[in-house]
């Protein structure tokens, strides 16, 4: 019997250096091979407006952005993405694979930045029009390991957020781990220090269950 796929919203998130882009790409290959309709997007970005805002957010020269401005810029990207891409895709029954979402704002601006989870969630409710992921997969990696991977890959040309102190990134990781603890049914933690193929196998197992 043919399986009927309705739209599902899947977020791949976690600290920098966890391998989100690689794993999301492999997951996209998996869905393609099964002829499952999907779209692959990333935050911040994936819309014309969002990619412009991304350039401001990640530019290491803009050190003077206030934390609240930073939060609103991430939320502005998100609002545009929700209206322009996510809602229509879910309505048409596609799987939405999204690198990062509100969980990142909670970990980076809420927990590590100090704005607090409650504030970020409140603003997030408005920005996302209450659209929530069906599943969030957190690729968990120790801060030292994650930053080493990033420095190696980017030859030390880190973006504005990546270049923040080790302490900041440790709080980011703690923020993500807390999110997984709060909602273990919908937010799954995967050890991203394992080999790529093993991490992918674990992700696919979780995804196959949801779709
Ligand atoms: P990335 O797409 O290469 O992971 O870069 C995005 C950076 O932005 C990354 O360091 C995490 C950060 N970020 C936030 O601080 N808050 C957010 O809400 C999002 C989506 C990303």
């Amino acid at each position: 019997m043919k399986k009927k796929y309705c739209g599902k919203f899947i977020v791949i998130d976690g600290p920098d250096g966890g391998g989100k882009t690689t794993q999301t790409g492999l997951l996209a290959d998996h869905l393609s091979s099964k002829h499952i309709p999907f779209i692959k997007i990333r935050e911040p970005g994936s819309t014309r407006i969002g990619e412009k805002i991304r350039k401001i957010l990640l530019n290491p020269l803009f050190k003077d952005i206030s934390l609240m401005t930073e939060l609103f810029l991430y939320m502005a990207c998100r609002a545009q993405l929700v209206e322009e891409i996510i809602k229509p895709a879910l309505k048409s029954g596609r799987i939405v694979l999204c690198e990062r979402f509100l969980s990142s704002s909670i970990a980076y601006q809420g927990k590590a930045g100090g704005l607090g989870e409650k504030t970020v969630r409140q603003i997030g409710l408005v920005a996302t029009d209450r659209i929530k992921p069906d599943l969030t997969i957190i690729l968990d990696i120790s801060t030292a390991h994650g930053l080493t991977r990033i420095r190696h890959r980017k030859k030390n040309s880190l973006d504005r957020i990546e270049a923040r102190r080790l302490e900041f990134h440790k709080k980011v990781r703690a923020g993500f781990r807390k999110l997984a603890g709060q909602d273990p049914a919908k937010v799954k933690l995967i050890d991203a220090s394992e080999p790529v193929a093993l991490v992918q196998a674990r992700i696919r197992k979780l995804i196959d269950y949801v779709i």
Side-chain angles (χ1 to χ4, degrees):
M1 194 175 60
K2 200 162 180 268
K3 194 173 171 188
K4 192 168 167 277
Y5 295 106
C6 55
K8 293 280 183 213
F9 182 20
I10 291 156
V11 170
I12 313 285
D13 212 332
D16 289 283
K20 287 180 299 302
T21 306
T22 304
Q23 293 297 343
T24 309
L26 291 169
L27 190 53
D29 294 343
H30 174 62
L31 296 182
S32 295
S33 72
K34 292 176 102 183
H35 305 288
I36 298 172
F38 72 94
I39 53 155
K40 180 164 79 71
I41 50 177
R42 68 167 180 180
E43 272 208 350
S46 288
T47 63
R48 197 162 63 95
I49 308 280
E51 289 294 333
K52 295 262 183 227
I53 300 174
R54 179 183 174 95
K55 288 212 167 72
I56 298 173
L57 276 167
L58 301 186
N59 187 338
L61 295 177
F62 292 147
K63 290 209 170 33
D64 49 340
I65 295 183
S66 83
L67 190 55
M68 194 54 96
T69 306
E70 180 179 295
L71 177 67
F72 273 101
L73 287 177
Y74 279 112
M75 291 292 184
C77 282
R78 188 162 296 136
Q80 185 68 28
L81 193 63
V82 165
E83 285 308 315
E84 194 179 315
I85 299 184
I86 298 178
K87 275 189 190 171
L90 291 176
K91 263 190 202 147
S92 70
R94 279 182 290 170
I95 307 285
V96 175
L97 289 186
C98 188
E99 269 183 63
R100 300 196 181 279
F101 198 61
L102 184 60
S103 34
S104 269
S105 293
I106 294 171
Y108 284 81
Q109 284 69 47
K111 174 92 177 174
L115 286 178
E117 181 173 341
K118 196 170 159 215
T119 302
V120 176
R121 279 197 190 277
Q122 278 170 344
I123 299 170
L125 276 181
V126 183
T128 60
D129 199 17
R130 296 174 187 263
I131 295 264
K132 291 204 174 83
D134 294 287
L135 178 69
T136 299
I137 296 175
I138 307 286
L139 298 181
D140 183 47
I141 185 110
S142 83
T143 309
H145 191 173
L147 292 182
T148 304
R149 279 183 179 179
I150 291 279
R151 288 206 179 95
H152 184 71
R153 194 175 74 226
K154 296 195 158 182
K155 312 256 180 286
N156 278 331
S157 64
L158 303 184
D159 69 37
R160 196 177 60 86
I161 307 280
E162 288 160 353
R164 286 187 176 152
R165 293 194 332 269
L166 185 71
E167 269 322 297
F168 176 89
H169 288 285
K170 282 188 174 165
K171 287 184 194 160
V172 167
R173 184 187 186 205
F176 279 120
R177 292 176 68 91
K178 186 174 167 206
L179 284 176
Q182 282 168 345
D183 189 1
K186 291 242 164 132
V187 184
K188 305 282 186 190
L189 206 71
I190 287 187
D191 180 358
S193 68
E194 300 276 17
V196 170
L198 184 58
V199 174
Q200 181 62 201
R202 295 207 169 119
I203 292 177
R204 287 183 188 181
K205 212 166 167 190
L206 291 173
I207 299 292
D208 285 344
Y209 192 70
V210 170
I211 61 177

